Amino acid sequence: MAKRRKKDIDNNLKILTYVAWFLAAVAVTLSILIAGYYLGYQSAKDDIAKQTKLEKQKKQNIPQMIEESIKKSETNTSDSVNNRLKEVLKKDANTTLPSIPLLEKQEKQEVPVVNKVKEEVLKTKTKEEVLSEKAKEYSSAAHEYKDEALDKPPQALQRENKLVASKRPKLAIIIDDISIQSHINAVNSLGLTLTMSFLPPSKGRPNSANLAAHESQYMVHLPMEAQDFSAEEDFTLRINDSQQDISNRIKELKVLFPKVKYINNHTGSKFTSNEIAMNKLIIALKENSIYFVDSRTTGQTAAPKVLKNFGLNYIGRDVFLDHKMEKAYVVGQIKEAIRIAKKYGTAIAIGHPHVNTIMALHESKNLFKDVDLVYIDKLN
């Protein structure tokens, strides 16, 4: 009987031991769960606190952000036109049109210059070489010009004894020194009838003739010798050039700019005031059916006399728009050109692809309502 009771006691102890181990395991598990819950709760609590703080700061900053946004919007709106016009005047660094070889004078040639130029141009076009050298940014002064007062506007010289026709007055505006794509973009962005005058190809702007080829109407801005001008262009015509040299140069330009009908002088106070040199030039231009437009960089120009001797009408500039490049000055010159056109029936104004000139033309669109803006070939 005692043995049986002892056996029962041993069995009970074993059961209690198992129960104790089970309860210990449950306690450990519950401890782990409670600890994890607490830690997770604290982490979530911290995240919620941070999010609440950020939202509160954001709400506090909204009025300031709105105010800054409004100010920025107002600034962008008021400056949008100016910014666009300035942007189109930036140099186009991604031009991929084929380049035209530079022309070099040669004293002795077995083959005529014009034939050699044709061959080189065709060779270059078939190769379609990509322009590798960036064109120089436009930076020269307005014109080599001495602020000499004109006794009468050039167009008045042709109409002294004539009444202004009943037709609407005509104004031709020439934009000189066009040489890179951004110049063309600037002029075309205005949506006005303006005549672009392209500088011939040179080391700094080898692609000007290719760019002109894409325009339906253009002139050539021919560099001529000046009395005193530091930034002389390549291939500038000089008063001591022979008739053959001048004729060859005009033939070269006719090949490069096959649609050219009008040429005006870039600088040229010394050349255009020399009667002998001007005679050589007009002979060369007549041979190629090209008319001369006097930029009138000097009051001593011999162009009126020479053209009269050849039985040709004199065409000359009435107003420089941007000899001074302040925008207010340019607007005043636009008004002066319109006044001359109204009084004499026609007028010619010359400007350049300066930012302020482009902006002044844009802002003066309403001033042109009393005149017809025309290309140079529609002036007479």
Side-chain angles (χ1 to χ4, degrees):
M1 189 74 176
K3 283 184 178 182
R4 185 172 181 179
R5 183 175 297 178
K6 186 178 180 181
K7 187 176 181 181
D8 291 339
I9 291 172
D10 290 339
N11 290 336
N12 291 335
L13 287 173
K14 287 182 181 180
I15 292 171
L16 290 174
T17 300
Y18 292 147
V19 170
W21 279 110
F22 174 77
L23 291 175
V26 170
V28 170
T29 302
L30 289 174
S31 298
I32 292 173
L33 290 174
I34 291 171
Y37 174 79
Y38 177 76
L39 293 175
Y41 172 77
Q42 281 298 118
S43 178
K45 185 177 179 181
D46 291 341
D47 289 342
I48 292 172
K50 289 180 181 179
Q51 185 66 26
T52 304
K53 186 176 180 180
L54 288 174
E55 290 181 357
K56 185 176 181 180
Q57 290 177 347
K58 188 174 180 181
K59 288 180 179 179
Q60 290 175 345
N61 291 335
I62 284 176
Q64 182 180 353
M65 292 168 61
I66 292 174
E67 183 178 354
E68 291 176 355
S69 178
I70 292 172
K71 287 181 179 179
K72 185 176 180 181
S73 177
E74 290 174 348
T75 301
N76 289 342
T77 301
S78 62
D79 292 341
S80 60
V81 174
N82 292 352
N83 289 339
R84 285 197 301 271
L85 292 175
K86 288 179 181 179
E87 184 65 25
V88 296
L89 286 171
K90 287 182 179 178
K91 183 176 172 182
D92 186 355
N94 299 317
T95 306
T96 57
L97 293 171
S99 60
I100 284 183
L102 301 178
L103 307 178
E104 298 181 357
K105 290 184 178 180
Q106 299 184 7
E107 294 295 328
K108 297 180 181 180
Q109 303 179 53
E110 296 179 0
V111 181
V113 174
V114 65
N115 291 337
K116 183 176 181 180
V117 173
K118 284 181 179 178
E119 293 172 2
E120 290 299 316
V121 171
L122 291 174
K123 185 191 300 182
T124 305
K125 286 185 177 180
T126 55
K127 288 182 179 179
E128 295 185 352
E129 297 175 348
V130 175
L131 181 64
S132 60
E133 180 181 359
K134 295 180 180 179
K136 291 181 180 178
E137 186 67 87
Y138 177 74
S139 59
S140 62
H143 259 292
E144 167 259 345
Y145 174 61
K146 306 294 183 182
D147 270 333
E148 297 177 79
L150 302 179
D151 52 355
K152 290 182 180 179
Q155 302 315 305
L157 297 176
Q158 304 295 326
R159 299 168 174 81
E160 282 185 340
N161 299 317
K162 300 178 183 178
L163 295 174
V164 176
S166 59
K167 295 181 180 179
R168 281 169 56 83
K170 297 179 181 179
L171 172 61
I173 297 179
I174 300 169
I175 305 298
D176 281 347
D177 294 359
I178 302 296
S179 59
I180 56 178
Q181 185 63 53
S182 58
H183 295 164
I184 300 171
N185 293 344
V187 174
N188 288 338
S189 72
L190 294 171
L192 298 172
T193 302
L194 305 173
T195 303
M196 288 183 280
S197 192
F198 285 78
L199 284 165
S202 64
K203 292 179 181 178
R205 47 184 70 86
N207 211 40
S208 61
N210 280 337
L211 295 174
H214 296 278
E215 302 301 315
S216 60
Q217 181 80 228
Y218 61 78
M219 293 173 55
V220 170
H221 197 37
L222 180 59
M224 300 182 190
E225 188 175 1
Q227 294 287 356
D228 182 21
F229 192 67
S230 59
E232 185 175 84
E233 290 287 322
D234 296 337
F235 315 116
T236 295
L237 290 186
R238 300 182 174 280
I239 60 172
N240 293 324
D241 286 345
S242 68
Q243 180 66 65
Q244 188 63 45
D245 286 338
I246 294 176
S247 294
N248 284 344
R249 180 58 176 151
I250 299 304
K251 289 177 182 177
E252 292 171 357
L253 293 176
K254 185 69 174 179
V255 172
L256 292 169
F257 300 90
K259 292 184 287 187
V260 64
K261 294 296 182 183
Y262 292 83
I263 278 179
N264 69 324
N265 55 294
H266 173 74
T267 68
S269 58
K270 188 172 184 177
F271 193 99
T272 57
S273 61
N274 186 293
E275 187 174 343
I276 295 175
M278 283 301 298
N279 271 285
K280 296 175 188 175
L281 176 64
I282 299 306
I283 288 172
L285 292 177
K286 283 194 67 176
E287 290 174 347
N288 291 275
S289 302
I290 299 173
Y291 297 98
F292 179 69
V293 178
D294 190 3
S295 297
R296 204 171 175 90
T297 57
T298 173
Q300 307 305 314
T301 176
K305 179 181 179 180
V306 172
L307 288 164
K308 184 177 181 180
N309 291 340
F310 278 89
L312 300 172
N313 290 331
Y314 173 68
I315 309 173
R317 174 215 35 106
D318 294 292
V319 175
F320 270 141
L321 297 181
D322 49 14
H323 180 57
K324 298 176 183 178
M325 289 186 284
E326 293 82 2
K327 187 170 66 173
Y329 173 84
V330 179
V331 172
Q333 292 298 92
I334 291 172
K335 292 177 180 178
E336 175 63 10
I338 292 172
R339 184 192 69 79
I340 293 172
K342 287 181 177 180
K343 183 172 182 179
Y344 299 104
T346 63
I348 297 175
I350 291 179
H352 303 81
H354 298 301
V355 172
N356 281 345
T357 304
I358 298 298
M359 290 169 61
L361 287 166
H362 173 81
E363 294 174 11
S364 299
K365 287 184 177 181
N366 64 315
L367 299 177
F368 297 126
K369 64 181 181 299
D370 295 327
V371 298
D372 287 335
L373 283 179
V374 296
Y375 292 118
I376 191 68
D377 64 335
K378 303 297 182 183
L379 198 61
N380 294 321

